[in-house]
Amino acid sequence: DHNGQCEITGQQDGGTLELEKEQQACKKVRKQMSEELEAEGSGESPDCDWSLLPQELLLHIFQHLPLLDRAYASQVCRGWNEAFHMPELWRCFEFELNQPASSYLKATHPDLIKQIIKRHSNHLQYVSFKVDSSTESAEAACDILSQLVNCSLKTLGLISTARPSFMEVPKSHFISALTVVFVNSKSLSSLKIDDTPVDDPSLKVLVANNSDTLKLLKMSSCPHVSPAGILCVADQCHGLRELALNYHLLSDDLLLALSSEKHVHLEHLRIDVVSENPGQHFHTIKKSSWDAMVRHSPTFNLVMYFFLYEDEFGPFFNDEIPITHLYFGRSVSKEVLGRVGLHCPRLVELVVCANGLRPLDEELIRIAKRCTQLSAIGLGECEVTCSAFVEFVKMCGRRLSQLSIMEEVLIPDHKYSLDEIHWEVSKHLGRVWFPDMMPTW
Amino acid sequence: MAPNSIHWFRKGLRLHDNPALREAVQGAATVRCVYFLDPWFAGSSNVGVNRWRFLLQCLEDLDANLRKVNSRLFVIRGQPANVFPRLFKEWKISRLTFEYDSEPFGKERDAAIKKLAMEAGVEVIVKISHTLYDLDKIIELNGGQPPLTYKRFQTLISRLDPPEMPVETLSDTLMGSGITPISEDHGEKYGVPSLEELGFDTEGLPSAVWPGGETEALTRIERHLERKAWVANFERPRMNANSLLASPTGLSPYLRFGCLSCRLFYFKLTDLYRKVKKNSSPPLSLYGQLLWREFFYTAATNNPRFDKMEGNPICVRIPWDKNPEALAKWAEAKTGFPWIDAIMTQLRQEGWIHHLARHAVACFLSRGDLWISWEEGMKVFEELLLDADWSVNAGSWMWLSCSSFFQQFFHCYCPVGFGRRTDPNGDFIRRYLPILRGFPAKFIYDPWNAPESVQTAAKCIIGVHYPKPMVHHAEASRLNIERMKQIYQQLSRYRGLGMRQVTCMLNVKTFPPLACITRRKEIDEKVVGSEKASHLCFTGKISVHCPAHRKREQSTSQLAEANL
C-alpha cells in the first residue's frame, strides 16, 4: 500500500488492490453490525459506534488523511491513537527542514521528528529530506540520517529546494550520515543525491550493500565523484534502470557497462552538460558506445540538458546520438541546431532557450523531416518566419502534442501575419493553438 | 434643492472622460474636488521620490485645469474615513462621487465610506472609468471566476459590448451654475504640497523624465498616435537598443494614475486604425497594452491575497530563498551583471523600464538566478516604477516568476546574452553605468571575462570598481530549472523519485479541476503546519481555499506531545 508520496516499485497504481480491501473491510463491518442487530433482537438499528470500526478500515481512512488531520484524529480516543502509530502509516515520510531566516515555508516540527526517530524509524521505507538554503537545515538532515540505524530504506531523496546547502555541510559529516543509510538499508532501490558532496568511497559502500536492489540513482552535480566511481556502480548494480549525472562522469566505459549482457535494460539516462569556465573543453563519446546502448536498451530515454557557451559545442552533435529529450539552457547557434537535425533521429522533445537574431527556418524544417518522433518543442528567444513555422507544423502534423512558442519568435512575412498564423497552425495540429505570451505593460 | 457635491479623486486624475466628476457637477450648487494625502506615509511608505513627484505634478495639473473652470483642487491631509464626516457637515454635502476602484482594498475602503455617507444622508454615485469594461461582467461571463489565461480573457471580451464612449471634458458649460467656494487661504489649507514639504531632499534631483499630469498625457497620446500611424500595418515594432530608452510617447504611467483615460486611448486607436487600414474591425492585438492591464485588474478584483504567495488560490507555492543581501544587490544595481544593473539603475533614476527589461530583471531575481520571492521584487517595483499599481504589478510578477497563469518555465532570460542580442553595442549600459564606459562591446556584458589589460585600459577593475558577478549563471539556471521541474512535478501529483514519469520539460497543462477530485487520496500530503496545497485549477476555475485549514495552523507541538 502507499501514501501518495511513495514510489511503487514494481506494481502500478494500487487502486484495484485498495478497492478490494475496502470492500472486504466494509463487508466485515456490515457483518459485525448485523450480528449485533441479531443479538439485540429488536428492529431498532444500533447507534453508530465508531469504536467498532475495524483496524483495517481505520488504517485505510487514516492513509487518506494528511498528517495534520491524522494527528487531530489521534487525539479522539486511545483506539485511534494506536491507529495513528500503526507501522503502515509511517512507511513514507518527507522531512521538511527550513529555517525562518532562509525560508517562507514551515518545517516539520522537531518534536514530531524526535517521535518518528524514537517510535517509527524501523517502519520508514520511503524517505525524503527537503532542505532550504541554510547549512543548518542540511546539517539537521544529516543528523536525522545518522540516527536511522534501524531503518531499511527502499527510497532516499536528499532534495535542496533552493541553494545546494548539502555542499556546505562538512564533507565527513555528510558522508558518515549517508554511510549509515547505505550500510543499514541493504535494499535501497531509489537514491536521489544531487548537489551533495558524495564521493567515490561512499559509492563503493552503496554498491557493497545494495547492488542487487539499486534501480534508480540520481546524482547530478556531485563534484567529488569521478568517472571511476560511477563506473563501479554501473559494473556492480545490474538492476540500474534510471541514472542521472553530469557529463564529466560519462565515459565510453560507463555506457558499455550499462549495455553489458548482465545489465537490465536502461530506461532513463539524464546528463547535465554544464560549463564551469568559458572555453571549457569537453571530451567526446564514441558513436559505438551509443550504438551499444541503443542495441541493449532500444526504448531508453536519453535526456540531455546543455548549459554551455555558444562556442563550446564543438565536441557535440557531430555523430549520430540517441538523444530523446534535449534542452538548451543558454543560447545555442544555428549551426548546432542544424547538426541536431542531422544527428538526432530519436528526438522526442526539443527546448531551445535562446538562439539569436537569424531565423531558424531551415534548421526547423530539417528537424521536422528527420526527427520523426518529435512530439514536443519549445522555443524561447529565437526567430522563425511565419511561413517556415507553418511548414514545420505541417510536416510534424498531429504528433506535436506540445508546441510552446513565445509570441516574439514568429516573424510575420508576406504569407502570414501574426493574427493569421494561429489559425493555420491550429488547422495542422488539429486543436486550437496560440503562441505563449508575456505581459506587456 | 441643488446639491453640494464632492468629487473624490483617487486615480482618474483628469477632467476628460470622467463620468463620476460629471455626475458631481450635474445640477449642483457647489462642487469641490478633493484628494486625500497622508503625508506621514511619505517617509515610511514604500513609494519612492519619482512616484511622489509624478503624483504631485498630476495634482498641480488638476488644480491648474480646474482653475480654468473657476474651480480648484482641495488637497486634504488625512484619511478619508476620518475626514469625510467633518467635510460632509462643514460643506453641507449631499452628493459624493468617485471613480470605481476595482482593487480589493479599494472596494473595502469605498464600502466603508459609502456607509459613512449614507449615515450622513449623502448620495453616493460611483462610475466605472478606470477600466474599459465592467470587470464583474467579465467574471460573470466566465462562470464567476476571472480568466487565468490571456487568450481566454480575449475570447470573453470579444463577446462583450464594446467599451463605453468617453464622456465630454469638464467645461464651464458643464459646470453650469455650479460654483466652487474658494477661501483666501485656500493655498495654505488645501494647496498641493511640494516634495520638500513631504520630507524629500530634492537637492541634486534631476528633472523628471516622465512629467506627471493630464496635460502632458493628452500631448503624449497625440504623439503616440502619430508615431503609430507611421508604423505600417500597426505591427509591433521590433525591439532595438532605442526601445530601451524612455519615449516621449510612452503612456503607461499616465494610464495608471488616470491622467489619461483608457477609454479615450481605446477609441483613438480604433479611429486611427479604421482611417489608415480602411478596415472596420481592428484586431485585439491593437489594444495589447490596455488589455493586459485589464486582464490583471480582472484577475485581482476578487482576490485580496493576489499580491501574496501564501493563501493565494492562484499562486503556486514555490520554496523561494530568503536572502536579504542578494535582494539588496539586485535592488541597488550591484549584481555585477551590467545588463541587470543598468536596467535597475534606469528604473531607480527615471521610474520606467521597457517591458522586456522588466522580464529580464524579474527573471534574474526569481526563477532565473537568485531564486528570491517575486513578492520582494514586486515591492521594489512598487517603490520605483511609475506605472506599477497593485493588480498589474502583482500579476506581472507572478507571471514572470512562473507562479501562476500557466507560464512555461523553460524560457530563461540570460543576464548576458539577452542584453547583448538587444543592444549589441552596449550603449544602454554605458549610459546608465558610466563606470563601464571604457569596455568594448565584446566585453561590456560580461566584463569579468575581459583580460586584465582590457580592464586596466577601461580604468575599471572588476571586483574593485565594479562588482564581480554575484552568481554563476550556468550553474544557477541549471539548479533553478531543476527546482521548477520539481515543483511542477509535485503539481502533477506524481510524488515518486522516478524520472521517466516526468521526462518532459514542457509542463503539461491538463491538470484535473479540483471539483473532479472526489477522493481525498489525491490531495497532496503536506507536512505538519503547512496548508493544503493551493490547487491550480487549469480549466480556469479557481479552487476556493478551504477556510477550515487556516484555523488549523495551530501549534502542532501540542499534538506531537499528546502522541508521545
Side-chain angles (χ1 to χ4, degrees), chain A residues 1 7 22 58 61 122 258 309 355 365 369 378 393 408:
Chain A
D1 49 48
E7 175 187 54
E22 208 173 316
L58 254 188
I61 294 169
N122 53 334
L258 292 171
Y309 287 91
N355 165 256
I365 291 183
K369 214 185 292 179
V393 177
E408 289 92 26

Side-chain angles (χ1 to χ4, degrees), chain A residues 3-5 7 18 63-72 74-75 81 84-85 93-94 96 100-109 111-112 115 119 130 133 155-157 159-164 190 192 195 216 218 221 242-244 267-268 270 272 274-276 278 301 303 305 307 309 325 327 330-331 349 351 353-354 356-357 376-381 383 402 404 406-408 411 418-419 434 436-441, chain B residues 150-151 154 235-236 238 252 283 285 288-289 292 296 309-310 317-323 355-356 358-359 367 371 373 376 381 385 387-388 392-393 396 399-400 407-408 410-414 416-418 421 449 472-475 477-479 481-483 485-486 490 493-501 503-509 520-521 525-530 549 552-554 556-564:
Chain A
N3 238 341
Q5 280 188 28
E7 175 187 54
E18 287 195 19
Q63 279 173 333
H64 287 275
L65 295 177
L67 183 57
L68 190 53
D69 292 351
R70 250 186 271 154
Y72 277 108
S74 72
Q75 292 191 297
N81 193 283
F84 181 71
H85 288 289
F93 201 80
E94 183 169 80
E96 281 194 44
S102 42
S103 172
Y104 299 97
L105 302 181
K106 295 205 179 99
T108 310
H109 202 283
D111 291 344
L112 179 57
Q115 212 193 129
R119 281 181 79 155
K130 277 193 162 158
S133 54
T155 299
L156 175 64
I159 301 163
S160 30
T161 59
R163 282 173 292 168
S190 297
K192 185 184 186 307
D195 299 295
L216 181 153
K218 197 168 185 323
S221 285
E242 297 184 46
L243 179 61
E267 289 172 16
H268 187 107
R270 149 99 184 246
D272 284 359
V274 187
S275 166
E276 311 275 318
N301 287 331
V303 181
Y305 283 29
F307 296 92
Y309 287 91
H325 298 76
Y327 174 68
R330 301 188 80 154
S331 165
E349 179 186 68
V351 181
C353 218
L357 295 175
I377 185 163
L379 297 179
E381 237 190 289
E383 289 201 347
Q402 285 280 324
S404 185
M406 299 296 293
E407 203 186 18
E408 289 92 26
I411 311 297
L418 279 178
D419 293 311
F434 292 103
D436 292 349
M437 299 200 172
M438 290 289 251
T440 58
W441 96 98
Chain B
Y150 187 61
K151 267 306 156 196
Q154 285 183 314
E235 288 303 350
R236 194 163 8 124
R238 293 279 288 270
S252 55
S285 52
Q289 187 179 7
W292 276 107
F296 286 123
M309 178 175 79
E310 286 296 322
R317 283 176 94 234
I318 296 176
W320 304 114
D321 196 15
K322 263 194 206 175
N323 191 339
H355 70 88
L356 286 177
R358 296 175 202 205
H359 298 172
R367 66 187 172 90
W371 199 251
S373 169
E376 299 297 341
F381 269 28
L385 188 59
D387 58 34
V392 181
N393 195 19
S396 300
W399 191 297
L400 296 173
Q407 177 57 31
Q408 290 282 2
F410 70 84
H411 178 210
C412 191
Y413 294 95
C414 178
V416 173
F418 184 47
R421 287 184 284 275
N449 284 331
H472 183 263
H473 176 68
E475 193 45 39
S477 39
R478 182 204 65 84
L479 261 171
I481 273 287
E482 198 52 42
R483 307 286 169 259
K485 263 198 98 183
Q486 272 166 29
Q490 276 185 309
R493 309 281 191 268
Y494 177 70
R495 295 304 226 103
L497 295 186
M499 294 179 276
R500 56 210 154 97
Q501 286 82 351
T503 338
C504 284
M505 169 74 81
L506 302 177
N507 58 340
V508 182
K509 298 181 186 183
R520 294 195 60 180
K521 181 173 154 180
E525 273 219 22
K526 281 295 184 178
V527 199
V528 164
S530 47
H549 284 274
R552 285 182 194 171
E553 275 173 43
Q554 294 164 13
T556 52
S557 59
Q558 300 166 321
L559 292 170
E561 275 170 58
N563 289 316
L564 282 170

Side-chain angles (χ1 to χ4, degrees), chain B residues 351-381:
Chain B
W352 178 93
I353 48 178
H354 189 275
H355 70 88
L356 286 177
R358 296 175 202 205
H359 298 172
V361 299
C363 184
F364 185 85
L365 179 74
S366 60
R367 66 187 172 90
D369 293 76
L370 300 186
W371 199 251
I372 288 176
S373 169
W374 58 270
E375 290 181 61
E376 299 297 341
M378 177 189 74
K379 287 180 199 149
V380 173
F381 269 28

Side-chain angles (χ1 to χ4, degrees), chain A residues 131-186:
Chain A
V131 305
D132 68 7
S133 54
S134 68
T135 317
E136 229 178 298
S137 299
E139 279 182 348
C142 293
D143 286 335
I144 298 170
L145 274 174
S146 309
Q147 294 179 68
L148 296 180
V149 191
N150 297 320
C151 250
S152 187
L153 293 183
K154 293 208 173 100
T155 299
L156 175 64
L158 300 181
I159 301 163
S160 30
T161 59
R163 282 173 292 168
S165 42
F166 281 110
M167 296 302 294
E168 311 294 315
V169 174
K171 185 159 172 276
S172 50
H173 184 28
F174 177 81
I175 299 293
S176 58
L178 202 57
T179 311
V180 168
V181 175
F182 290 171
V183 169
N184 284 281
S185 286
K186 301 221 193 301

